[in-house]
Amino acid sequence: MALSERTGWLSRRALLRAATLTGATVAGDTLTGGAVTGAAIAGAGLAATWPATPAFSATLGPGDPVLASDVRQEFLTAWTAYRRLAFGRDELHPISGTGAEFFIPGAPLGLTIVESLDTLFLMELDGELTAAINWISGNLNFNRNANMHVFESIIRMVGGLLSGFHATGNAILLTRARDLADRLLPAFTRSPTGMPYRFVNLATGAVSGNVVPLAEIGSNITELGWLSQLTGDPKYLTAAKNAMRAVFNRRSPLNLLGTSLNVDTGAWVDQTARVDPPVDSFFEYLWDGFQFLGDTELKGWYDTLTAAIVARLTDSSAGRLWFRQVNMNTGAVVGRTQSELTAFYAGLLAQGGDLARGESYHSSWTAALAQHRLPPEAIDYTTLGALSNQYQLRPEYIDSALFLWLATGNEVYRSRALDMWNRQKAHCKVARGYAIVNDMTTTPTTKGDLTPGYWYSENMKYFYLMWSATPRFNYTTNYLTTEGNVLRGINRVAAPAATGTFRLVNRATGLVMEVNASSLNDNAAVVIRANSGAANQTWIVTTTAGAARLTCSLSGKLLNVSGSSTTSGAGLVQFTNSGSTAQQWTVSAVAGGFVTLANRRSGLVVGIAATAAGSGVVQQAPDGSTGQQWQLVAV
């Protein structure tokens, strides 16, 4: 069984955003080299290598700092669990606390790290971004005598590395992306039709898998096309375009495409025309090739095929818009089901100029969601009944909500996203982050032991962009790939507030703040000890609207006031994200490069109960003493 079949098409998602530019803009993407450094508290941080650009469109409603902070904190809980338990592994198994590989058994390729790069940047998690890039620089090696899935590798690994390069300008990311693309290219160049084989051996270039679905043949032109622009080598774009042309030239007299082809012979293997996977992103990348790369021929292909889809596949059930499956040659109906992954099509239709139909299709999925706790993997759209009770942490409904909000400014789409955010928190959250759901009908839902890499790249990025109004993202001119990787629209500006990963060194003692005994539990005491370099002594500082949160790098839990939040002398602990002001701190600079941390709820500052190692960290009335002053040392 092929890889995408074994994984149940876990990676099919899409977000598209209308851009005012037609050519790929790479100005500012200079090869600066070196790793991104954690931002210093005094306002250093990532250097702004692009001119300042408007980040947030005046046509959109204001951001919601509370919701944005909640999304970032939930991301951090999962990210720190991954850092502690599976850093470098492809994916986290959050229930068992282990990691696993997605691509090559026994050969970690850091899939979750690569998929998180631009999300870490957008969320201003600069210290964590530094750690991610350092791992890639020192450990990511594609010289493997093993078969690699071409489609997944391009959209997830090549695309993730390129988006990380777009965010940071770090040369190693472009170098790694090009190395992988070169190893994958024989899948295209050794094919007699130009359509890629499914697998290629990264060391030898040997190819295999000649029956290939359309999404795998044609979802690569933006990643490979931009790589050609960045490197000046046209071979990547040429291979991608030839593959798409080979498919378009095999359309039926009805201008419909089937599902899969034999890339050796060029013959159709499955003649079912559909928008669902495993076809979905083929149509998306036709439009993207025009929008992102300025290829007008691809727009013509998109228009021709979309007109046929609208004429032959659109269906109505209970007054709602859906897309049936038909025979590509006769138009005869062969199915009336829908995959959750097809929810991406609402955004694509709108971007392609059919806003009304895109909005209608998203409303159809909203009606389906009203019948279930989470979007089912597949439904019979004539009844809205689930054909599968699984939810694989899919982002398609959310990404279309984001796109439609960006396109229209209509707050209904942020309301729908908020509903989905609450459902994800209620039904997918586990102690170490978020997990897929194997059965949504049980109480509680029956979880599966997996946090897919795409959850870090897509779900959490889409939610965060919806509410953060981050200056690091251009809400007017941008492009995100089918995997949610930002290839246009990142503003390389310093974080507007304190952010980074630090040790907190007490001025009076020289000892550092830590969670006692490396505990992972709520209410574990926070004390001072000599620096050991351990993760329970490092804290991820994130600031939203002037209020900072301090997240323990080991546990993903927050510095919190225990007991009465207004009593002087109350000990500090770590605790799960609750959104309360008892977990929020005002960071104020004092002389000598130190800061004070004042609790937002009580107004009291962080101090120490005594000077010996193991002494408790408490909140106290401010008195100006050095025991209440802390130096944030980037790590």
Side-chain angles (χ1 to χ4, degrees):
M1 184 176 291
L3 180 59
S4 61
E5 293 167 346
R6 285 191 280 112
T7 58
W9 285 90
L10 291 182
S11 70
R12 298 306 320 116
R13 290 145 309 275
L15 172 67
L16 300 169
R17 171 63 183 130
T20 58
L21 301 179
T22 56
T25 302
V26 297
D29 272 318
T30 53
L31 303 186
T32 58
V36 177
T37 59
I41 207 79
L46 295 172
T49 60
W50 284 358
T53 56
F56 201 64
S57 171
T59 63
L60 301 175
D64 188 321
V66 174
L67 275 172
S69 183
D70 192 44
V71 172
R72 181 164 58 180
Q73 195 60 48
E74 292 299 302
F75 176 93
L76 264 177
T77 297
W79 173 258
T80 55
Y82 171 72
R83 281 265 268 152
R84 175 167 58 92
L85 300 166
F87 199 56
R89 306 291 299 273
D90 284 357
E91 293 181 313
L92 173 68
H93 289 181
I95 296 174
S96 61
T98 60
E101 279 29 278
F102 178 84
F103 287 109
I104 304 171
L109 296 178
L111 173 63
T112 291
I113 293 174
V114 172
E115 296 233 77
S116 298
L117 290 172
D118 61 349
T119 306
L120 290 167
F121 177 84
L122 291 169
M123 290 186 177
E124 299 165 16
L125 300 174
D126 297 342
E128 299 305 294
L129 180 57
T130 297
I133 294 175
N134 287 344
W135 186 91
I136 291 169
S137 178
N139 299 278
L140 185 56
N141 175 19
F142 294 121
N143 187 22
R144 311 280 187 173
N145 185 19
N147 288 336
M148 192 81 160
H149 193 273
V150 175
F151 163 71
E152 299 282 357
S153 301
I154 291 175
I155 66 169
R156 306 183 78 171
M157 296 295 291
V158 175
L161 290 164
L162 289 176
S163 65
F165 172 71
H166 177 46
T168 68
N170 190 297
I172 194 64
L173 302 178
L174 178 58
T175 299
R176 293 288 190 272
R178 188 175 192 179
D179 175 46
L180 177 56
D182 285 340
R183 295 173 186 275
L184 297 172
L185 213 56
F188 296 82
T189 59
R190 295 185 179 182
S191 167
T193 60
M195 295 182 287
Y197 292 95
R198 298 194 80 194
F199 301 96
V200 63
N201 184 292
L202 293 181
T204 68
V207 296
S208 58
N210 65 352
V211 176
V212 188
L214 262 58
E216 298 193 15
I217 294 173
S219 303
N220 45 60
I221 197 162
T222 57
E223 292 88 351
L224 296 184
W226 198 45
L227 186 58
S228 280
Q229 294 203 16
L230 290 172
T231 63
D233 191 334
K235 66 183 180 182
Y236 309 106
L237 176 60
T238 298
K241 177 103 182 251
N242 285 344
M244 299 187 89
R245 179 183 288 108
V247 174
F248 181 74
N249 287 344
R250 288 169 171 80
R251 68 193 183 279
S252 76
L254 302 179
N255 285 329
L256 294 174
L257 301 176
T259 295
S260 60
L261 285 150
N262 184 310
V263 301
D264 284 326
T265 66
W268 288 102
V269 176
D270 183 341
Q271 298 183 8
T272 304
R274 65 180 84 220
V275 181
D276 300 282
V279 174
D280 50 349
S281 55
F282 180 87
F283 302 115
E284 176 186 349
Y285 270 46
L286 287 172
W287 178 264
D288 290 12
F290 162 66
Q291 179 196 79
F292 183 55
L293 302 175
D295 189 322
T296 55
E297 185 177 28
L298 291 178
K299 182 182 184 299
W301 298 353
Y302 171 84
D303 290 342
T304 296
L305 297 175
T306 301
I309 289 170
V310 170
R312 301 283 181 172
L313 270 62
T314 53
D315 199 3
S316 178
S317 178
R320 302 184 186 97
L321 174 65
W322 298 100
F323 294 90
R324 61 197 174 201
Q325 298 84 42
V326 306
N327 180 278
M328 65 179 288
N329 295 305
T330 67
V333 177
V334 297
R336 285 190 168 91
T337 63
Q338 207 86 107
S339 164
E340 189 280 337
L341 292 92
T342 314
F344 90 98
Y345 202 52
L348 179 57
L349 283 168
Q351 184 173 17
D354 197 345
L355 179 61
R357 190 170 274 113
E359 291 192 285
S360 177
Y361 187 51
H362 199 263
S363 293
S364 296
W365 274 106
T366 302
L369 183 57
Q371 307 299 313
H372 307 279
R373 287 176 170 174
L374 296 162
E377 280 293 281
I379 62 170
D380 176 344
Y381 65 71
T382 66
T383 65
L384 302 186
L387 300 177
S388 167
N389 288 318
Q390 294 184 345
Y391 173 64
Q392 302 289 324
L393 284 174
R394 304 274 190 210
E396 285 75 20
Y397 178 79
I398 311 159
D399 69 45
S400 280
L402 172 60
F403 172 74
L404 288 165
W405 173 66
L406 290 171
T408 67
N410 190 335
E411 285 297 307
V412 70
Y413 296 110
R414 285 209 288 191
S415 296
R416 290 176 181 178
L418 178 57
D419 175 61
M420 190 61 216
W421 172 245
N422 290 331
R423 289 170 186 255
Q424 180 179 275
K425 287 182 71 176
H427 300 302
C428 304
K429 188 173 179 178
V430 294
R432 300 184 182 104
Y434 285 78
I436 62 173
V437 171
N438 288 338
D439 189 345
M440 68 177 72
T441 65
T442 62
T443 302
T445 56
T446 302
K447 312 295 193 300
D449 194 10
L450 176 65
T451 308
Y454 60 71
W455 179 86
Y456 300 84
S457 177
E458 299 199 66
N459 302 49
M460 301 305 279
K461 182 185 295 153
Y462 302 155
F463 284 130
Y464 188 71
L465 291 177
M466 194 88 73
W467 297 308
S468 66
T470 173
R472 290 186 166 185
F473 184 73
N474 191 313
Y475 282 81
T476 301
T477 302
N478 53 70
Y479 169 69
L480 289 86
T481 71
T482 194
E483 192 70 8
N485 294 312
V486 185
L487 299 187
R488 175 193 290 150
I490 282 181
N491 299 323
R492 289 193 210 145
V493 299
T499 184
T501 305
F502 304 94
R503 289 192 182 88
L504 279 76
V505 182
N506 184 262
R507 188 170 190 175
T509 65
L511 302 176
V512 301
M513 185 187 298
E514 75 165 32
V515 176
N516 194 28
S518 301
S519 175
L520 303 174
N521 299 324
D522 283 346
N523 288 315
V526 174
V527 300
I528 52 172
R529 293 192 193 278
N531 175 24
S532 67
N536 67 319
Q537 294 184 338
T538 64
W539 301 83
I540 303 166
V541 179
T542 56
T543 304
T544 302
R549 294 182 178 187
L550 279 73
T551 304
C552 177
S553 294
L554 178 71
S555 65
K557 297 181 185 296
L558 286 157
L559 184 67
N560 190 90
V561 179
S562 65
S564 171
S565 62
T566 58
T567 301
S568 184
L572 302 189
V573 298
Q574 66 172 5
F575 203 82
T576 301
N577 172 37
S578 67
S580 72
T581 52
Q583 297 179 335
Q584 300 175 26
W585 308 85
T586 300
V587 181
S588 302
V590 296
F594 290 83
V595 300
T596 59
L597 303 166
N599 186 258
R600 189 175 182 185
R601 176 174 291 176
S602 67
L604 302 179
V605 300
V606 176
I608 54 174
T611 58
S615 297
V617 177
V618 298
Q619 66 172 6
Q620 302 165 336
D623 59 17
S625 68
T626 55
Q628 296 180 344
Q629 298 176 27
W630 305 83
Q631 185 177 34
L632 282 80
V633 179
V635 294

